[in-house]
């Protein structure tokens, strides 16, 4: 993941340079990218689909990066751009340190405001409250924010980035260190989830959103393609049940595009797949099997309600569900 070069905060302060306003911003995302997936989940859980529209890129990049070839004419219909990089260069013509997603763009100017994948979900949960749907969960509650930040830092180090440390290691020592940290953490999480439905208790918080995109990619991509192969997710019983519980919760699984994930990782990040062979999995029905996590009590949304049907439903999967 390229560094977050654009780190402005979009806030509830009406006098701020970048203040929250419905329709003012557009978020550029890839359904293949776990960092963008986190932002997509938060946006959906909070009911911000109308207030903050999204532009979804093709999972296959070319030499210029993420592109809008899924849209008619190969251009985003709102911003009129062909590549994510165009919004970065509009903000800074000399920018050359990568053009990652998610990125939030000011619609009027076409400039990237922020690509800070760590703070975008937090700001959606806190600064955008006036635009949240009724019954939206409090993903970043007062009194638990320090705990959430600390937990997210651990998850990011050992799991979210840890799988990339394993998969992109260039020495045996680096691989062994990251591999050990990753599976030690997964085993700790599996044990933790034996007695609690969600990571911090009886309802979802930002830490659950933070971890889920890595879990949904684990057996499909990280286990084989990234050599994270001590065990599969399905072999960690509590973590696998937890992952299915989240997947079946509105706002989580209905944002997952297995086809985009499959094609991006195996056809773009192809160093270990030189013949560009596309795996036939996963079997999505496995994610819909009973998980039994209700027996632990609690409810994903606490006293709130689930979001309604998605405004941008994931298209039926092709090869990935074969």
């Amino acid at each position: 993941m390229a560094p977050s070069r654009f780190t402005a905060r979009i806030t509830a302060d009406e006098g701020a340079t970048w203040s929250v306003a419905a329709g003012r911003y557009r978020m550029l995302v890839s359904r293949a990218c776990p960092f963008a997936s986190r932002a997509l989940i938060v946006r959906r859980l909070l009911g911000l689909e109308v207030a903050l529209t999204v532009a979804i890129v093709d999972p296959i990049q070319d030499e210029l990066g993420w592109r809008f070839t899924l849209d008619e004419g190969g251009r985003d219909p709102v911003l009129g751009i062909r590549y994510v990089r165009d919004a970065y260069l509009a903000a800074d013509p000399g920018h050359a340190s990568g053009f990652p997603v998610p990125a939030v763009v000011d619609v009027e100017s076409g400039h990237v405001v922020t690509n800070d994948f760590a703070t975008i979900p937090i700001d959606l949960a806190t600064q955008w409250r006036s635009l949240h749907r009724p019954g939206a969960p409090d993903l970043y509650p007062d009194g638990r924010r320090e705990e959430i930040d600390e937990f997210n830092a651990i998850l990011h180090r050992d799991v979210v980035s840890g799988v990339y440390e394993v998969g992109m290691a260039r020495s045996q020592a680096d691989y062994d260190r990251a591999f050990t940290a990753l599976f030690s953490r997964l085993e700790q999480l599996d044990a933790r989830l034996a007695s609690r439905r969600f990571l911090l208790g009886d309802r979802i918080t930002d830490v659950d959103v933070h971890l889920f995109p890595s879990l949904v990619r684990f057996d499909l991509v990280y286990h084989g393609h990234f050599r994270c192969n001590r065990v599969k997710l399905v072999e960690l019983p509590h973590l696998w049940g937890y992952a299915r519980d989240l997947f079946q919760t509105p706002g989580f699984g209905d944002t997952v595009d297995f086809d985009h994930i499959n094609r991006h990782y195996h056809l773009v990040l192809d160093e270990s797949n030189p013949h560009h062979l596309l795996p036939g999995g996963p079997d999505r029905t496995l994610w819909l099997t009973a998980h039994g996590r209700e027996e632990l009590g609690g409810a994903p949304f606490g006293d709130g309600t689930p979001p309604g049907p998605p405004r941008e439903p994931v298209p039926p999967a092709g090869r990935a569900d074969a």
Side-chain angles (χ1 to χ4, degrees):
M1 180 70 180
S4 298
R5 157 72 170 78
F6 295 85
T7 57
R9 306 294 287 267
I10 299 171
T11 74
D13 181 359
E14 294 182 359
T17 300
W18 304 114
S19 59
V20 170
R24 181 176 179 183
Y25 306 98
R26 188 159 173 82
M27 188 163 66
L28 313 185
V29 299
S30 164
R31 283 181 166 143
C33 171
F35 302 96
S37 292
R38 181 184 171 206
L40 275 174
I41 292 168
V42 170
R43 168 181 173 267
R44 171 137 166 69
L45 291 174
L46 301 178
L48 293 171
E49 293 102 321
V50 174
L52 177 62
T53 63
V54 295
I56 299 171
V57 299
D58 192 309
I60 306 299
Q61 298 161 289
D62 66 15
E63 66 278 3
L64 297 181
W66 297 111
R67 51 190 183 160
F68 293 105
T69 48
L70 301 181
D71 294 299
E72 185 176 355
R75 292 183 182 272
D76 175 63
V78 173
L79 300 173
I81 57 178
R82 292 187 177 277
Y83 289 89
V84 167
R85 74 192 306 269
D86 296 340
Y88 280 90
L89 296 177
D92 178 5
H95 179 71
S97 60
F99 309 100
V101 290
V104 180
V105 177
D106 174 54
V107 172
E108 182 177 357
S109 67
H111 293 183
V112 169
V113 176
T114 176
N115 70 340
D116 191 343
F117 63 87
T119 61
I120 289 171
I122 298 300
D123 288 345
L124 292 180
T126 57
Q127 301 300 315
W128 291 65
R129 283 186 185 275
S130 65
L131 298 173
H132 288 185
R133 65 178 178 85
D138 188 354
L139 298 174
Y140 196 61
D142 284 329
R144 305 204 76 176
R145 293 181 179 178
E146 183 175 354
E147 179 183 15
I148 288 171
D149 291 346
E150 290 175 354
F151 209 133
N152 276 343
I154 291 170
L155 293 176
H156 185 81
R157 181 193 67 208
D158 293 343
V159 181
V160 179
S161 289
V163 293
Y164 289 88
E165 297 274 341
V166 175
M168 299 181 182
R170 291 295 179 266
S171 74
Q172 191 67 52
D174 288 344
Y175 172 85
D176 291 344
R177 181 174 59 252
F179 185 90
T180 299
L182 169 64
F183 283 98
S184 294
R185 185 62 59 195
L186 291 177
E187 289 162 1
Q188 290 173 23
L189 293 171
D190 188 62
R192 180 184 183 91
L193 289 164
S195 59
R196 65 186 76 201
R197 186 166 178 186
F198 304 106
L199 287 173
L200 294 187
D202 62 359
R203 63 185 64 188
I204 57 173
T205 64
D206 186 68
V207 295
D208 301 294
V209 179
H210 196 106
L211 179 60
F212 176 76
S214 296
L215 297 182
V216 87
R217 288 160 175 76
F218 198 86
D219 287 0
L220 175 60
V221 176
Y222 303 146
H223 180 270
H225 202 47
F226 280 16
R227 298 179 293 279
C228 300
N229 62 354
R230 176 183 290 175
V231 295
K232 295 179 179 179
L233 175 63
V234 298
E235 296 167 334
L236 295 167
H238 306 299
L239 201 56
W240 171 226
Y242 162 81
R244 281 177 290 154
D245 191 2
L246 291 179
F247 187 87
Q248 295 169 34
T249 298
F252 285 86
D254 53 29
T255 68
V256 174
D257 192 322
F258 284 122
D259 180 54
H260 277 209
I261 295 168
N262 206 13
R263 287 196 284 139
H264 174 69
Y265 280 93
H266 291 102
L267 301 183
V268 177
L269 303 179
D270 62 354
E271 183 175 305
S272 60
N273 185 26
H275 300 294
H276 290 188
L277 301 177
L278 191 61
D283 180 355
R284 187 175 183 276
T285 61
L286 294 176
W287 285 88
L288 302 176
T289 56
H291 50 74
R293 301 284 296 175
E294 302 92 341
E295 296 178 3
L296 295 172
F301 300 99
D303 297 329
T305 58
R311 294 181 63 88
E312 304 103 7
V314 176
R319 173 67 180 169
D321 275 357

